[in-house]
Amino acid sequence: MPEPAPSPVKRLQFANGKPFEIAQPVINRILNKPTVIDRTSIPRGTLDDWIGKGLFPAPIALGPRRVGWLESDVKAWIDSRPLANRTLPSSAPTTKPTIRRGRPPKAATVATGGK
């Protein structure tokens, strides 16, 4: 018997415990590697390493030299990440710190009295 289709409604809870629902369309496209890298912001080498270690969903074979990921698998992986990592704490700076590049400025020279 085929498995039932996933529910198009996602049930969530507010921080106070009150439940609410979000309607979600059921879309299961196949994503190529550049799209997966773009959606997850994981570098190519790290993605390959995590797949080998079982930390990221394995791709499905589409042909002899082509693989892809189900969009639902990638989304489920993203949703499984800890919520604490998704938001900045209120004390976090809102701008990036300035990074100085290049040679540091020369130290001020002290007058040596003509020597």
Side-chain angles (χ1 to χ4, degrees), residues 1-114:
M1 183 167 194
E3 200 169 306
S7 172
V9 176
K10 186 172 187 177
R11 290 175 176 79
L12 302 170
Q13 285 186 340
F14 287 109
N16 63 7
K18 186 175 180 179
F20 68 98
E21 297 179 348
I22 298 176
Q24 295 181 318
V26 178
I27 300 172
N28 214 8
R29 291 181 237 161
I30 296 176
L31 307 176
N32 62 14
K33 194 170 199 173
T35 304
V36 170
I37 290 168
D38 183 52
R39 290 200 185 179
T40 60
S41 300
I42 298 173
R44 182 179 300 269
T46 302
L47 183 65
D48 292 337
D49 186 45
W50 287 2
I51 291 167
K53 292 179 179 178
L55 300 174
F56 192 82
I60 55 174
L62 302 174
R65 297 185 61 201
R66 178 66 92 192
V67 295
W69 286 261
L70 292 176
E71 185 174 34
S72 60
D73 289 348
V74 174
K75 184 175 181 336
W77 182 86
I78 292 169
D79 291 344
S80 74
R81 302 293 90 198
L83 186 59
N85 292 340
R86 295 186 194 178
T87 58
L88 292 173
S90 59
S91 62
T94 56
T95 59
K96 291 183 177 180
T98 303
I99 298 174
R100 304 190 108 197
R101 299 193 188 279
R103 180 178 282 180
K106 291 183 177 181
T109 56
V110 178
T112 59

